[in-house]
Amino acid sequence: MQDTTRSGILHTLMWGALLLSSGCKELNRPPAPPSGEQRLADRYPCDRGIATDPAVIWAENFEEGSVSAVTSRYQDYKNAGGMALVSDRPSRSCGAASMQFTADGRNAATQATDLYKRLDTGQDELYVRWYAKYQAGAPWHHTGVWFGGYNPPSNWPNPQAGIRPLGDDRVSFAVEPVWGNGGPNPVLDFYNYWMQMHTCSGCGGSYWGNALISRTAFAASDNTWACVEVHARLNTDMASDAGAVLEVWKNDSLIQRFPDAAGAGYWVQDHFCPVGADGSQCNYSPTAAGPADLQFRTTTDLKLNAFWPQNYITDPASGSVWFDDMVLAKVRIGCLS
């Protein structure tokens, strides 16, 4: 029923005037991105309130005030002494702190500094966005953000390095420095484990995480904050890769999408080279034709239910990575607006 009271009429007139002055656009909502795609971050400038959105599964902005308050939110963590809340943070962040993860390969107790979260509800599809800054010159082994799933769900990370998943047990997606570690501006890539991954001729039958991008511009620029987002959708047909999607963005620019409309690409041992790949590791004869088979699972019991940011260094050296403004959601998130 229309409000015909004096206060109601005044409210209506004021609201109409505001709409006219804003060009009839919805108030307090930032404009849609140029592509027309509305990202979650566009509705929550500076991420304020984003954790309460029903599409958000988990959010971490490291504003808890102490390392112990952060670690208490996770099922597992290692080397709390290597964690520090510091004032260095992304330029668009409205928070007061980021988390510095320092690992030191000279001591077994400090090689790995990480947080592990078992998600309360497993998902068939996730978008994961985070900000990261890498110290120059560190010999990264596995330093980045991993997410995926275990069947049954696990309260701790269990990567089973070197072992190919079966399709009903686990799957993992990671973005970390893969190429040129120890040198300036190492190149980021996927380091993924799934049932259709490849091995190499010199791997002795072991399966190590597969890289899938090989683009030199996708770099972890030294001492520079970057926004990274990964989208993984598990296959909907349990007998094939139908329905599966894998995408990665850096600073809101799409780096790679699978299935790749640009072409099939090819395999060189245990890394895939999509059309447009320019890394020197792709300058070899293909060992298998593309496209990459994205059959991630054989049962719907395998869900995405694990989140694992980490810094793992095995060389006799110390190195720090900074993380901030991490969000896991059912829809595209986008960088801070």
Side-chain angles (χ1 to χ4, degrees):
M1 180 180 295
Q2 185 178 5
D3 187 351
T4 58
T5 65
R6 183 174 182 272
S7 60
I9 292 171
L10 287 173
H11 180 270
T12 302
L13 291 172
M14 291 173 63
W15 181 251
L18 284 168
L19 285 174
L20 288 172
S21 67
S22 63
C24 294
K25 295 178 181 178
E26 188 172 350
L27 293 176
N28 300 321
R29 181 171 296 237
S35 65
E37 176 188 21
Q38 186 73 11
R39 299 175 296 242
L40 195 61
D42 297 317
R43 301 205 298 269
Y44 298 95
C46 213
D47 274 7
R48 289 192 177 102
I50 199 169
T52 64
D53 192 283
V56 171
I57 304 300
W58 181 251
E60 176 61 78
N61 58 15
F62 299 110
E63 299 299 321
E64 286 83 357
S66 69
V67 169
S68 61
V70 173
T71 58
S72 68
R73 304 176 70 227
Y74 293 81
Q75 276 73 34
D76 190 51
Y77 63 90
K78 287 183 285 294
N79 190 27
M83 301 179 192
L85 295 173
V86 298
S87 60
D88 187 0
R89 58 197 185 277
S91 60
R92 290 187 177 180
S93 177
C94 291
S98 68
M99 178 73 92
Q100 180 180 358
F101 287 50
T102 301
D104 192 333
R106 291 167 289 195
N107 186 323
T110 60
Q111 286 182 339
T113 304
D114 66 26
L115 297 167
Y116 175 84
K117 178 69 178 178
R118 187 199 70 232
L119 305 180
D120 293 335
T121 305
Q123 304 294 321
D124 296 311
E125 180 175 23
L126 272 180
Y127 292 79
V128 182
R129 183 263 272 164
W130 67 94
Y131 280 77
K133 186 180 83 164
Y134 288 86
Q135 177 184 324
W140 313 115
H141 190 84
H142 291 304
T143 301
V145 170
W146 293 47
F147 71 98
Y150 298 105
N151 179 34
S154 175
N155 282 338
W156 52 83
N158 185 18
Q160 300 182 48
I163 302 173
R164 181 174 63 178
L166 301 174
D168 63 353
D169 54 347
R170 61 194 167 91
V171 63
S172 66
F173 308 99
V175 171
E176 58 183 38
V178 171
W179 313 107
N181 282 325
N185 307 312
V187 176
L188 297 164
D189 210 319
F190 281 121
Y191 191 85
N192 296 349
Y193 275 81
W194 79 103
M195 60 178 288
Q196 300 291 10
M197 66 189 298
H198 287 220
T199 187
C200 66
S201 58
C203 289
S206 295
Y207 286 77
W208 307 107
N210 285 184
L212 304 176
I213 301 174
S214 293
R215 296 184 187 275
T216 55
F218 188 36
S221 301
D222 292 344
N223 302 318
T224 302
W225 282 102
C227 169
V228 180
E229 184 169 356
V230 175
H231 170 213
R233 184 170 71 212
L234 302 182
N235 47 297
T236 53
D237 175 12
M238 297 304 106
S240 75
D241 67 353
V245 174
L246 187 62
E247 299 174 288
V248 61
W249 296 262
K250 180 185 176 186
N251 297 331
D252 273 334
S253 294
L254 181 67
I255 302 297
Q256 184 64 48
R257 184 185 192 276
F258 299 103
D260 190 351
Y266 57 90
W267 286 93
V268 176
Q269 302 287 341
D270 58 351
H271 58 273
F272 186 73
C273 299
V275 173
D278 60 356
S280 60
Q281 61 274 10
C282 290
N283 295 336
Y284 298 92
S285 298
T287 55
D293 189 336
L294 299 186
Q295 185 181 4
F296 296 130
R297 61 180 179 177
T298 59
T299 172
T300 56
D301 291 337
L302 179 58
K303 305 283 190 183
L304 301 174
N305 54 28
F307 174 59
W308 186 26
Q310 64 169 316
N311 184 7
Y312 179 47
I313 294 176
T314 54
D315 283 11
S318 175
S320 292
V321 62
W322 292 257
F323 291 126
D324 203 4
D325 297 311
M326 311 173 103
V327 180
L328 285 66
K330 301 175 186 178
V331 298
R332 178 76 203 282
I333 303 160
C335 300
L336 290 166
S337 63

